Amino acid sequence: MVQKQKGTYDMYGEMVEKYNYIKRIFTDLMNEYNIKNIDTPIFESSELYHRGVGETTDIVTKETYDFKDRGDRSVTLRPEGTAGVVRSIIENKLYTNLPLKLWYEGPMFRYERPQSGRYRQFRQAGVEIFGDKTPLMDANLISIMVKFYERIGLRDVIVKINSIGNKESRDSYREALTNHFKPYLSELCEDCNTRFSKNPLRILDCKVDSDKECMKSAPKIIDYLDDVSKKHFDEVLRYLDLMEIKYKIDNNLVRGLDYYTDTVFEVEAKVGDSLSILGGGGRYNNLVESMDGPSVPAVGFAFGIERIINALDSEDVRVISDNALDCYVIPVTEKEIDNAVLLVNSLRDNAFSVDMDYTNKKMPAKFKEADRYNAKFIVIIGEDEIKNNKLTIKDNLTKEEVKIERDNLIDYLDVNI
Ligand code: HAM
């Protein structure tokens, strides 16, 4: 039998309910904040990610799904959403109407070692705001993220925040890091040796060397921020305090993508016995320009949907299904089927979600079927009902039964659902 690829999964049953629940809460929030949807292709030219995400990042060096298409073009399955959105706003000149507030959701691909909460095909939802360089917008975005986690019912989330400064601050920090790591090169892994010459900041992101003493004693970016970056960071923190959003400053947080400037943040939650990073983001004031667009400041975040589902399960959050059936119609015998079909059609025309029993099963089995679909009401049509032009309606939660005139069914459901 052909089996699914490593690090992928099939979504069905309860997982579909959870996914829909998360997406519904997220899109409602996006409407409230006047953030508009954008959808970009799942594959793009490889150059986009090499330039956008960064040549020296783990994502580009080890994790992209790159291939040649039949026209010999190098294409890459998108590992994240930001680079594609940036390409789109440049190509479609969307930057002529700033500020631009966009959200997206969809599958991403990274060739990572599969483990709990880490897939090769996973789903991200994210927000990107263009044309607003104020620290208030950084704080606002963090507050949207926190509000989203609260709304879906997660309680134990921690916001971690840091600043990696503007280009000037990072240039002097890079020099300090180079001086610091030079004597330890023989202790560091092969990748870190490459990072040392290409982009020493990436050493701090290494998963192999993270526990080594020279990593812990490395200089901290926060001490190298220039006045502009320091002021920006202080203001972000002041706004977070004003909005009463709890956070932890984490000076080791650098994030795994090259495009960030100034504020970076991540949201963590306890899932089972370990900590899971549910989402992250930050400011990227130079990316649009570096992708041949105009100079447009930007800030954004994305979160992983599977990790949120795991966190919901771990905190035992009850997911409210949005696809419970309004009505399940049961004809008592075959004789009432025609009548039931007409009733079901008229209910659907009135925007109720309805299904009916088409079989010869016994009545208890038919009621069981209504439970399986989470039906709110069961409508029973038997010989008596047809003779008297009435219907029997059973509230499937309270189990109360009433008989009503057939013509009153839609009004009855309107009032009771
Ligand atoms: P990222 O931190 O690489 O950032 O990914 C964001 C989130 O996607 C992670 O926090 C995690 O929840 C989820 N994620 C990443 N890789 C996997 C995986 N292999 N399996 C399951 N979930 C995963 C970005 O992608 C940036 N584009 C975020 C951003 C938007 N920054 C600015 N704007």
Side-chain angles (χ1 to χ4, degrees):
M1 192 192 90
V2 181
Q3 294 190 326
K4 63 180 172 348
Q5 291 288 300
K6 255 190 180 177
T8 67
Y9 61 86
D10 299 312
M11 182 156 42
Y12 55 89
E14 264 188 30
M15 192 172 180
V16 176
E17 303 282 313
K18 289 173 189 166
Y19 167 69
N20 286 339
Y21 168 79
I22 291 168
K23 205 169 158 196
R24 181 161 40 93
I25 291 179
F26 181 67
T27 49
D28 284 352
L29 200 63
M30 294 298 99
N31 278 336
E32 288 166 28
Y33 278 85
N34 192 27
I35 301 172
K36 307 290 184 207
N37 189 206
I38 186 167
D39 196 37
T40 61
I42 284 173
F43 66 92
E44 298 259 8
S45 86
S46 301
E47 187 195 348
L48 174 71
Y49 298 111
H50 285 244
R51 279 174 61 190
V53 175
E55 293 282 9
T56 56
T57 57
D58 272 4
I59 295 180
V60 166
T61 52
K62 298 182 190 158
E63 296 167 7
T64 46
Y65 276 89
D66 299 312
F67 57 95
K68 290 266 180 164
D69 72 4
R70 288 175 193 270
D72 209 30
R73 298 171 201 93
S74 295
V75 292
T76 296
L77 298 183
R78 65 178 179 201
E80 58 100 55
T82 313
V85 171
V86 166
R87 184 213 34 80
S88 176
I89 72 147
I90 299 172
E91 198 166 334
N92 298 301
K93 296 199 170 45
L94 303 183
Y95 55 75
T96 48
N97 264 324
L98 294 173
L100 195 57
K101 304 178 192 178
L102 302 170
W103 69 266
Y104 53 87
E105 188 277 331
M108 308 287 161
F109 304 84
R110 294 185 193 177
Y111 191 81
E112 294 196 79
R113 204 155 59 84
Q115 51 188 282
S116 161
R118 198 176 288 282
Y119 302 90
R120 290 185 172 170
Q121 177 176 335
F122 59 99
R123 299 191 85 96
Q124 269 188 358
V127 175
E128 314 291 351
I129 313 277
F130 298 93
D132 186 329
K133 60 175 194 250
T134 64
L136 176 56
M137 188 44 95
D138 303 20
N140 251 337
L141 262 195
I142 294 172
S143 82
I144 296 177
M145 238 182 153
V146 169
K147 192 164 277 181
F148 167 70
Y149 294 123
E150 271 171 17
R151 285 226 185 139
I152 57 172
L154 291 177
R155 279 149 308 193
D156 292 333
V157 302
I158 304 154
V159 177
K160 294 195 311 186
I161 184 166
N162 192 22
S163 171
I164 58 165
N166 53 20
K167 191 176 170 308
E168 290 73 25
S169 309
R170 263 198 320 282
D171 283 346
S172 51
Y173 181 53
R174 190 170 291 121
E175 198 183 317
L177 275 184
T178 311
N179 292 336
H180 171 79
F181 282 119
K182 209 176 206 161
Y184 301 106
L185 281 181
S186 57
E187 281 177 34
L188 295 175
C189 73
E190 207 181 310
D191 279 348
C192 278
N193 274 271
T194 316
R195 290 171 184 138
F196 180 80
S197 51
K198 288 196 174 154
N199 185 356
L201 249 88
R202 284 267 78 80
I203 298 180
L204 302 174
D205 210 30
C206 180
K207 287 155 199 147
V208 180
D209 290 329
S210 59
D211 286 337
K212 299 213 167 114
E213 207 39 57
C214 64
M215 291 290 237
K216 292 178 190 157
S217 59
K220 304 268 179 271
I221 179 80
I222 207 87
D223 299 322
Y224 290 80
L225 296 185
D226 68 9
D227 288 347
V228 181
S229 279
K230 182 140 193 5
K231 184 155 179 267
H232 185 94
F233 191 45
D234 287 344
E235 280 291 282
V236 176
L237 300 183
R238 192 179 70 76
Y239 280 121
L240 289 177
D241 291 337
L242 184 79
M243 295 189 242
E244 295 184 357
I245 292 172
K246 292 196 189 79
Y247 58 85
K248 269 190 191 163
I249 296 176
D250 177 354
N251 291 145
N252 289 324
L253 184 68
V254 287
R255 310 257 310 126
L257 304 100
D258 270 355
Y259 46 63
Y260 292 113
T261 52
D262 287 305
T263 321
V264 286
F265 53 89
E266 277 182 355
V267 172
E268 221 174 50
K270 207 155 176 261
V271 175
D273 289 335
S274 47
L275 284 171
S276 168
I277 299 169
L278 301 185
R283 200 158 255 295
Y284 50 100
N285 286 346
N286 303 329
L287 184 61
V288 181
E289 199 172 7
S290 77
M291 301 303 291
D292 307 323
S295 168
V296 176
V299 57
F301 73 77
F303 59 80
I305 292 190
E306 298 77 5
R307 292 196 190 173
I308 291 182
I309 292 179
N310 290 345
L312 287 174
D313 290 345
S314 160
E315 283 196 29
D316 240 348
V317 176
R318 206 173 81 85
V319 168
I320 299 149
S321 161
D322 61 346
N323 72 351
L325 261 194
D326 292 328
C327 253
Y328 191 66
V329 177
I330 300 181
V332 177
T333 69
E334 271 185 352
K335 279 190 246 150
E336 291 86 31
I337 286 187
D338 289 4
N339 214 288
V341 168
L342 296 178
L343 183 76
V344 164
N345 280 347
S346 83
L347 286 174
R348 287 186 183 138
D349 286 344
N350 281 280
F352 291 106
S353 61
V354 196
D355 207 348
M356 71 171 267
D357 169 73
Y358 296 90
T359 67
N360 270 330
K361 279 187 211 134
K362 300 233 158 62
M363 279 310 259
K366 295 181 181 189
F367 283 117
K368 236 186 185 160
E369 202 69 355
D371 286 343
R372 189 160 80 89
Y373 296 133
N374 244 335
K376 292 173 197 148
F377 287 95
I378 299 173
V379 178
I380 303 156
I381 314 182
E383 210 180 327
D384 262 9
E385 278 84 0
I386 292 182
K387 205 162 57 193
N388 303 320
N389 208 17
K390 293 212 163 161
L391 296 165
T392 302
I393 302 185
K394 181 172 175 182
D395 183 322
N396 206 21
L397 194 70
T398 61
K399 307 294 176 200
E400 265 174 63
E401 269 188 27
V402 288
K403 269 200 177 7
I404 60 163
E405 295 291 326
R406 189 181 174 119
D407 291 346
N408 292 342
L409 176 63
I410 286 167
D411 284 349
Y412 180 88
L413 294 177
D414 266 337
V415 172
N416 289 291
I417 284 179

